């Protein structure tokens, strides 16, 4: 009985660590996104992540940085070395000082990280009506409900229900805490074309960029899960053997 | 003992040469080989060894992390993400350290629970228990400062809230807080000293653990019956019986640990700590890590700041005097029909406190936290002292072996002599 009780207490303790949601302002709980990488053994859908990269570069990057991700990391999404170099070269990176002591701009290299759209938070706020577009590098780890939240937020814009006053420069989004968000709706059907022929609906773009951002936040996820399967299988076998030895050792002792 | 070479029992010439000059092999043999250990341990007695292993894991992973971490407000957050992304297997080391802290508290909470249920704190093990409480306090300090190091929002605001508690001290409170911070707010000097202390304290813990184990090997272990071994028939050599039994527990522990690290590494964390610290933006709901929530609930249960702080520290301090609050001569709750249920209720109560601590301090949760806080203290200060006088314990078995061989319970007089011949 004591064992059962303590096991239950432990399980409860773990459960209670779950976030106390909805602390700040009311919002709707985002529905499950059901994306490729969710679920215990999920992996990143490479074509989706590549389309998501395109969405990030054409839409999100106007306001949001991705400063922790290096261009070389994009190889993990299935891009070739030449493709990575070409993407990097499209960016201007501040470097220096050179031999004359001057800072200068040069085309990006694979070893560079994504440059942020604004030099600092003040500049970002000045350009965005006082709001600060956060860096997206670890975004799916930095919000309750993670990827589900990101995808729901991107498709959660709607007209405010009658009687709800939306503040100047704000937008109604039922998944954002408080339901009023400074960011405007940015994804519209067919606003871009994907090289692989997938139709760029707002839903599609939201799912794809969520996949990309989930990869950006946890690039180690696939390796982590693969290693986890091997480690736990090993431990299960080791546990079985250890228990057998324990039974054997204790066999002639009454206890 | 006479001066001179030790009389070593070992035959191997190298081991013998060392052992005669420095008898560490004799000591290991005595303390971990033949050490007489009660034969009736259940798996709750795994958790001391598990805590020791966990401490070793924390120190090993922590030393590697410190090689790559930068304790500066401008670089701390990014250096942690560098570890996650660019250091070889850095994500594994960091997630082991992060979840290792949670595992450590799970293990130690069970270890403390076992001590309370089976009365391991009672005479002659009071000092052993007190050293354990010291370890627990050092662990909490270490974990708190470690949580500040990634310099996320919860790091910063958690540090601000907890250090601010000291401002409740009359007259000198504000000066103490400034002294703790190394400035007038939680800032770079605070981060740097927390890093320094976070590296130091685990080694202090190692020292106190050594004393804890040394004291244990003087009194010997308690056991589920709470009666002392009366002779060799009541004990088994530690090796191989308990080395192998601890190994079984260790593998189960490793499976739980691996499940967290590999499949849910951020499950026990708070997403806000992946937002870089910003002194200008207060999170809507500041919460400590899960293992502090019960004490956090006690802190917030009191409307007065100083009162809350006193109660919170009192909740831990009361453990120091537990051996003298519970004067019942019977150790194991198995033989204490009323205390057993009072303690199991206390356990549930602790879980309730933990949950209340995770909720915003408003509405029904304030009331729940107050009732639970009252019971937390009532158990120690009222129920245990009263039960020591009023409770009628069940009869104790004559000895460990008699209870084990007959499946528990007291034996009729004389029956223990030839226990195997019946049946």
């Amino acid at each position: 009985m004591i064992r059962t009780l303590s096991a239950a207490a432990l399980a409860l303790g773990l459960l209670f660590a779950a976030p106390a949601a909805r602390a700040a302002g009311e919002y709707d709980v985002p529905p499950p996104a059901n994306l490729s990488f969710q679920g215990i053994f999920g992996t990143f859908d490479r074509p989706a992540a590549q389309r998501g990269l395109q969405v990030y570069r054409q839409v999100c990057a106007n306001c949001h940085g991705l400063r922790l991700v290096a261009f070389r990391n994009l190889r993990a999404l299935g891009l070739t070395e030449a493709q990575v170099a070409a993407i990097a070269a499209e960016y201007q990176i501040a470097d220096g000082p050179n031999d004359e002591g001057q800072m200068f701009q040069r085309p990006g290299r694979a070893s560079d990280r994504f440059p942020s759209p604004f030099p600092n938070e003040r500049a970002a706020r000045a350009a965005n009506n006082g709001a600060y577009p956060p860096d997206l590098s670890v975004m799916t780890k930095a919000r309750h409900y993670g990827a589900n939240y990101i995808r729901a937020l991107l498709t959660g814009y709607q007209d405010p229900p009658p009687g709800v006053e939306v503040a100047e420069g704000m937008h109604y989004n039922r998944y954002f805490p408080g339901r009023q968000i400074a960011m405007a709706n940015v994804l519209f059907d067919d606003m871009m074309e994907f090289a692989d022929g997938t139709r760029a609906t707002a839903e599609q773009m939201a799912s794809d960029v969520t996949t990309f951002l989930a990869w950006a936040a946890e690039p180690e996820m696939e390796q982590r899960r693969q290693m986890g399967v091997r480690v736990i299988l090993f431990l299960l076998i080791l546990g079985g053997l250890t228990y057998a030895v324990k039974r054997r050792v204790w066999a002639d002792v009454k206890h | 003992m006479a001066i001179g070479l030790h009389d070593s029992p070992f035959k191997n010439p190298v081991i013998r040469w060392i052992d005669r000059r420095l008898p560490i092999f004799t000591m290991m043999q005595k303390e971990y080989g033949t050490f007489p250990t009660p034969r009736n341990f259940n798996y709750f007695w795994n958790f001391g060894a598990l805590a020791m292993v966990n401490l070793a894991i924390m120190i090993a992973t922590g030393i590697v992390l410190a090689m790559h971490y930068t304790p500066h407000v401008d670089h701390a957050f990014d250096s942690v993400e560098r570890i996650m992304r660019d250091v070889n297997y850095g994500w594994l080391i960091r997630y082991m350290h992060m979840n290792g802290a949670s595992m450590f508290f799970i293990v130690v909470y069970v270890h403390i629970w076992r001590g309370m249920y089976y009365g391991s704190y009672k005479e002659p093990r009071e000092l052993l228990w007190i050293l354990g409480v010291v370890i627990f306090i050092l662990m909490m300090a270490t974990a708190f400062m470690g949580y500040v190091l990634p310099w996320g929002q919860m790091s910063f605001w958690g540090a601000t809230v907890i250090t601010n508690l000291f401002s409740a001290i009359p007259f000198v409170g504000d000066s103490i807080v400034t002294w703790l911070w190394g400035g007038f707010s939680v800032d770079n000097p605070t981060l740097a000293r927390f890093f320094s202390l976070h590296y130091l304290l685990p080694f202090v813990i190692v020292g106190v653990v050594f004393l804890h184990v040394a004291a244990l090997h003087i009194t010997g272990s308690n056991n589920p019956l709470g009666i002392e071994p009366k002779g060799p028939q009541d004990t088994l050599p530690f090796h191989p019986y308990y080395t192998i039994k601890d190994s079984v527990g260790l593998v189960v522990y490793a499976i739980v640990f691996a499940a967290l690290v590999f499949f849910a590494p951020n499950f026990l964390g708070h997403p806000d700590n992946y937002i870089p610290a910003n002194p200008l933006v207060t999170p809507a709901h500041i919460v400590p890590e899960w293992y502090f929530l019960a004490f956090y609930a006690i802190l917030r249960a009191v409307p007065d700041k100083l009162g809350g702080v006193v109660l919170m520290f009192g909740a831990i301090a009361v453990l120091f005097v537990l051996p003298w609050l519970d004067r019942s001569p019977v150790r194991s709750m198995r033989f204490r029909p009323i205390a057993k249920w009072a303690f199991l209720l206390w356990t549930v109560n602790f879980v309730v406190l933990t949950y209340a601590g995770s909720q915003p301090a408003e509405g029904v949760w304030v009331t729940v936290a107050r009732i639970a806080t009252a019971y937390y203290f009532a158990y120690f200060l009222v129920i245990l002292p009263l039960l020591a006088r009023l409770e009628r314990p069940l009869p104790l078995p004559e000895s460990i072996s008699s209870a084990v061989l007959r499946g528990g319970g007291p034996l009729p007089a004389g029956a223990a002599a030839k226990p195997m011949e019946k049946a």
Side-chain angles (χ1 to χ4, degrees):
Chain A
M1 194 250 345
I2 292 162
R3 279 177 209 182
T4 332
L5 243 167
S6 61
L10 195 70
L12 276 171
L14 290 171
L15 268 181
F16 290 162
R22 307 199 190 202
E26 284 296 299
Y27 61 91
D28 291 2
V29 172
N34 294 321
L35 297 172
S36 55
F37 57 90
Q38 296 181 304
I40 277 194
F41 303 114
T43 54
F44 296 113
D45 177 350
R46 294 299 190 280
Q50 291 188 19
R51 292 193 297 270
L53 168 64
Q54 182 180 340
V55 176
Y56 168 74
R57 293 181 64 213
Q58 291 187 12
V59 184
C60 317
N62 290 317
C63 301
H64 294 276
L66 197 64
R67 68 196 169 86
L68 299 173
V69 179
F71 296 116
R72 63 183 156 80
N73 298 143
L74 297 173
R75 291 291 305 279
L77 295 183
L79 270 61
T80 65
E81 209 165 326
Q83 284 173 314
V84 168
I87 289 175
E90 289 177 30
Y91 291 86
Q92 287 294 311
I93 306 289
D95 203 347
N98 62 14
D99 291 346
E100 282 80 47
Q102 304 298 315
M103 301 301 284
F104 59 93
Q105 298 279 321
R106 61 160 174 79
R109 296 192 282 256
S111 56
D112 290 316
R113 286 160 204 272
F114 277 90
S116 297
F118 301 104
N120 52 56
E121 183 180 333
R122 291 281 181 86
R125 286 190 191 276
N128 287 284
N129 224 350
Y132 178 42
D135 188 274
L136 299 180
S137 304
V138 288
M139 191 47 81
T140 58
K141 289 197 288 189
R143 293 292 182 273
H144 290 297
Y145 306 105
N148 293 343
Y149 167 77
I150 305 297
R151 199 201 67 119
L153 185 82
L154 290 172
T155 53
Y157 288 89
Q158 61 189 78
D159 292 331
V164 173
E165 188 79 16
V166 176
E168 176 79 22
M170 302 294 273
H171 309 271
Y172 189 84
N173 189 319
R174 62 203 185 98
Y175 298 112
F176 191 74
R179 297 209 173 93
Q180 297 196 26
I181 183 170
M183 178 176 132
N185 189 10
V186 287
L187 297 179
F188 304 99
D189 288 350
D190 301 313
M191 67 189 290
M192 64 179 69
E193 280 185 12
F194 289 129
D196 63 6
T198 307
R199 187 170 166 235
T201 61
E203 282 280 333
Q204 184 69 41
M205 288 184 287
S207 295
D208 290 346
V209 82
T210 302
T211 303
F212 172 70
L213 291 176
W215 166 80
E218 296 184 88
E220 87 295 344
M221 181 192 277
E222 291 176 355
Q223 189 195 6
R224 168 158 61 74
R225 288 172 175 172
Q226 282 167 12
M227 192 187 285
V229 170
R230 290 199 297 267
V231 166
I232 287 181
L233 282 179
F234 169 81
L235 287 171
L236 287 174
I237 295 168
L238 180 69
L241 290 173
T242 312
Y243 188 64
V245 174
K246 188 254 166 194
R247 297 269 304 207
R248 186 75 183 266
V249 167
W250 282 78
D252 51 357
V253 178
K254 276 217 115 193
H255 63 280
Chain B
M1 202 201 291
I3 305 285
L5 288 181
H6 174 68
D7 186 18
S8 175
F10 288 92
K11 296 278 179 282
N12 179 306
V14 177
I15 290 179
R16 186 180 171 77
W17 188 91
I18 298 172
D19 201 50
R20 293 186 73 199
R21 285 153 181 83
L22 182 69
I24 48 174
F25 293 98
T26 300
M27 190 204 84
M28 286 303 288
Q29 182 66 17
K30 175 167 172 279
E31 304 297 345
Y32 290 99
T34 56
F35 190 71
T37 313
R39 63 190 294 163
N40 59 331
F41 281 178
N42 56 31
Y43 276 100
F44 278 117
W45 265 262
N46 277 175
F47 284 84
L50 295 182
M52 188 97 90
V53 170
N54 203 320
L55 176 61
I57 291 173
M58 294 307 280
I59 289 178
T61 52
I63 286 173
V64 177
L65 290 176
M67 294 174 188
H68 301 279
Y69 169 77
T70 311
H72 187 285
V73 290
D74 292 336
H75 305 292
F77 186 90
D78 286 6
S79 73
V80 171
E81 278 298 321
R82 276 272 181 138
I83 292 169
M84 298 291 292
R85 288 157 193 270
D86 292 341
V87 174
N88 289 331
Y89 295 103
W91 58 267
L92 176 60
I93 295 163
R94 194 251 170 161
Y95 277 155
M96 279 178 74
H97 198 73
M98 187 174 134
N99 287 287
S102 285
M103 289 300 292
F104 208 173
F105 276 94
I106 292 171
V107 165
V108 163
Y109 277 140
V110 176
H111 190 59
I112 294 173
W113 187 93
R114 186 269 278 155
M116 291 173 74
Y117 187 86
Y118 295 109
S120 303
Y121 50 82
K122 292 187 184 182
E123 203 269 322
R125 298 185 181 83
E126 305 96 322
L127 190 55
L128 175 60
W129 168 263
I130 287 171
L131 287 166
V133 179
V134 170
I135 295 170
F136 180 48
I137 291 171
L138 287 170
M139 269 180 68
M140 291 201 285
T142 309
F144 162 65
M145 288 190 279
Y147 191 60
V148 175
L149 302 185
W151 209 242
Q153 274 289 68
M154 279 300 161
S155 300
F156 179 87
W157 289 99
T160 302
V161 168
I162 300 302
T163 49
N164 254 318
L165 295 180
F166 292 90
S167 72
I169 301 170
F171 307 116
V172 292
D174 287 329
S175 307
I176 288 179
V177 172
T178 306
W179 176 73
L180 287 173
W181 286 341
F184 298 101
S185 66
V186 174
D187 207 334
N188 202 50
T190 325
L191 178 60
R193 64 188 53 192
F194 276 22
F195 177 58
S196 172
L197 293 172
H198 182 70
Y199 205 114
L200 170 69
L201 286 187
F203 297 97
V204 178
I205 293 177
V206 170
V208 185
V209 165
F210 182 83
L211 297 177
H212 188 67
V213 173
L216 171 72
H217 283 225
I218 297 298
T219 61
S221 297
N222 187 29
N223 63 76
L225 293 171
I227 54 176
E228 295 295 328
K230 292 198 167 74
Q233 73 280 8
D234 290 344
T235 63
L236 292 168
F238 188 80
H239 180 76
Y241 293 100
Y242 287 110
T243 42
I244 190 64
K245 192 162 181 171
D246 281 350
S247 301
V248 173
L250 186 59
V251 176
V252 175
Y253 156 87
I255 289 173
V256 176
F257 194 1
L260 274 176
V261 166
F262 292 108
F263 295 104
N266 294 306
F267 174 68
L268 294 171
H270 195 290
D272 279 19
N273 226 29
Y274 282 106
I275 303 171
N278 186 344
L280 301 177
V281 180
T282 315
H285 182 204
I286 301 172
V287 278
E289 289 277 81
W290 70 266
Y291 38 79
F292 292 140
L293 287 173
F295 301 104
Y296 193 53
I298 292 175
L299 169 75
R300 298 187 309 176
V302 187
D304 174 61
K305 186 175 178 183
L306 179 59
V309 173
V310 167
L311 271 201
M312 185 182 72
F313 286 110
I316 298 157
V318 72
L319 296 175
F320 280 115
V321 290
L322 176 57
W324 295 277
L325 291 171
D326 177 9
R327 303 302 290 260
S328 167
V330 177
R331 292 197 190 106
S332 175
M333 294 283 183
R334 281 189 189 177
F335 306 104
R336 302 187 62 189
I338 305 172
K340 173 183 183 169
W341 289 107
F343 177 63
L344 292 178
L345 180 60
W346 182 89
T347 311
V348 173
N349 187 68
F350 191 83
V351 176
V352 169
L353 273 174
T354 298
Y355 190 71
S358 76
Q359 298 299 310
E362 55 198 32
V364 67
W365 290 112
V366 179
T367 315
V368 169
R370 285 181 183 161
I371 295 170
T373 301
Y375 186 74
Y376 181 98
F377 284 101
Y379 173 76
F380 291 114
L381 302 177
V382 180
I383 295 175
L384 280 181
L386 277 183
L387 285 184
R389 288 160 173 263
L390 303 178
E391 186 182 41
R392 214 186 131 94
L394 304 178
L396 293 175
E398 275 176 24
S399 70
I400 293 173
S401 54
S402 68
V404 166
L405 299 177
R406 297 294 303 237
L411 292 177
K418 292 178 180 172
M420 301 303 290
E421 284 181 11
K422 307 199 169 173

